[in-house]
């Protein structure tokens, strides 16, 4: 049986493994990502989204927060594909200063970005598509990824093409 996202808060094993990898910030030259070993609770996610958007009616049910950067920006699975497993949901970044964007079309593609030494904020805010490959994360992606390894620019471009209104949808929440 395939688990779907309807209320699913089961942490995918590939994210649990990502949480066990040491990310080296390297004075700003490395990866600024702090993965969690569980999702934030539904209540924490809703509270954060309400504060972030200023909309006290916002509901965080569509997000499964699984990591952050050093500024407090969050990486999350965005449960927009109804009835599909969590690993098939897009990965998004919601920055501490209002930055936001789709990072990857699914968890598999996100693993390849991490393997290439990229973090969610770099991809969204700086459109950075080149990093320093990480052997541990490359091995993890090779074990779990269901999509082929591609250039980071292609991974992000595919995600943006599939979800072109993500930023506009967030803007609508802020009103």
């Amino acid at each position: 049986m395939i688990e779907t996202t309807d209320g699913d808060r089961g942490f995918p094993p590939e994210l649990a493994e990502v949480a066990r990898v040491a990310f080296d910030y390297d004075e700003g030259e490395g990866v600024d990502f702090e993965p969690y070993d569980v999702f934030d609770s539904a209540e924490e996610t809703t509270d954060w989204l309400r504060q972030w958007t200023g909309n006290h009616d916002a509901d965080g049910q569509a997000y499964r927060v699984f990591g952050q950067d050093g500024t407090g920006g969050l990486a999350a699975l965005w449960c927009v594909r109804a009835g599909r497993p969590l690993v098939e949901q897009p990965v998004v970044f919601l920055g501490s200063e209002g930055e936001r964007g789709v990072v990857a079309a699914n968890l598999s593609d996100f693993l390849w970005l991490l393997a290439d030494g990229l973090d969610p904020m770099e991809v969204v805010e700086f459109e950075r598509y080149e990093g320093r490959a990480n052997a541990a994360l490359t091995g993890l992606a090779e074990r779990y990824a269901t999509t082929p390894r591609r250039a980071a620019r292609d991974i992000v471009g595919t995600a943006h093409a599939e979800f072109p209104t993500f930023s506009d949808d967030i803007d609508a929440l802020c009103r």
Side-chain angles (χ1 to χ4, degrees):
M1 179 174 141
I2 295 177
E3 292 188 32
T4 62
T5 58
D6 300 336
D8 186 4
R9 300 202 74 79
F11 206 65
E14 46 272 73
L15 284 179
E17 281 201 43
V18 167
R20 290 191 287 270
V21 174
F23 285 82
D24 185 7
Y25 182 62
D26 191 24
E27 307 284 329
E29 297 300 317
V31 176
D32 183 12
F33 185 59
E34 302 167 22
Y36 303 162
D37 57 3
V38 296
F39 289 125
D40 277 352
S41 72
E43 295 79 13
E44 288 173 302
T45 302
T46 293
D47 286 347
W48 181 88
L49 187 64
R50 287 176 177 173
Q51 290 177 9
W52 191 76
T53 62
N55 178 346
H56 298 288
D57 296 321
D59 179 2
Q61 181 58 32
Y63 302 95
R64 304 294 185 275
V65 176
F66 65 86
Q68 69 180 43
D69 67 14
T71 70
L74 302 178
L77 294 173
W78 177 34
C79 301
V80 68
R81 293 178 172 137
R84 304 274 293 277
L86 287 175
V87 297
E88 293 180 16
Q89 303 299 332
V91 174
V92 297
F93 177 74
L94 303 163
S96 62
E97 300 298 321
E99 312 87 351
R100 80 295 294 268
V102 180
V103 177
N106 53 55
L107 187 53
S108 177
D109 283 347
F110 181 68
L111 294 176
W112 288 121
L113 291 175
L114 292 177
D116 284 341
L118 297 170
D119 63 61
M121 184 178 76
E122 289 176 320
V123 170
V124 168
E125 188 173 352
F126 304 117
E127 296 182 0
R128 183 172 167 207
Y129 303 119
E130 293 183 20
R132 293 184 301 185
N134 179 304
L137 290 166
T138 297
L140 194 152
E142 288 170 345
R143 282 192 307 283
Y144 285 105
T146 58
T147 56
R149 189 172 200 165
R150 303 185 316 283
R153 184 175 303 281
D154 293 340
I155 289 172
V156 176
T158 297
H160 287 186
E162 186 173 355
F163 303 102
T165 65
F166 176 72
S167 187
D168 295 335
D169 295 343
I170 294 293
D171 284 343
L173 274 177
C174 295
R175 295 190 176 116

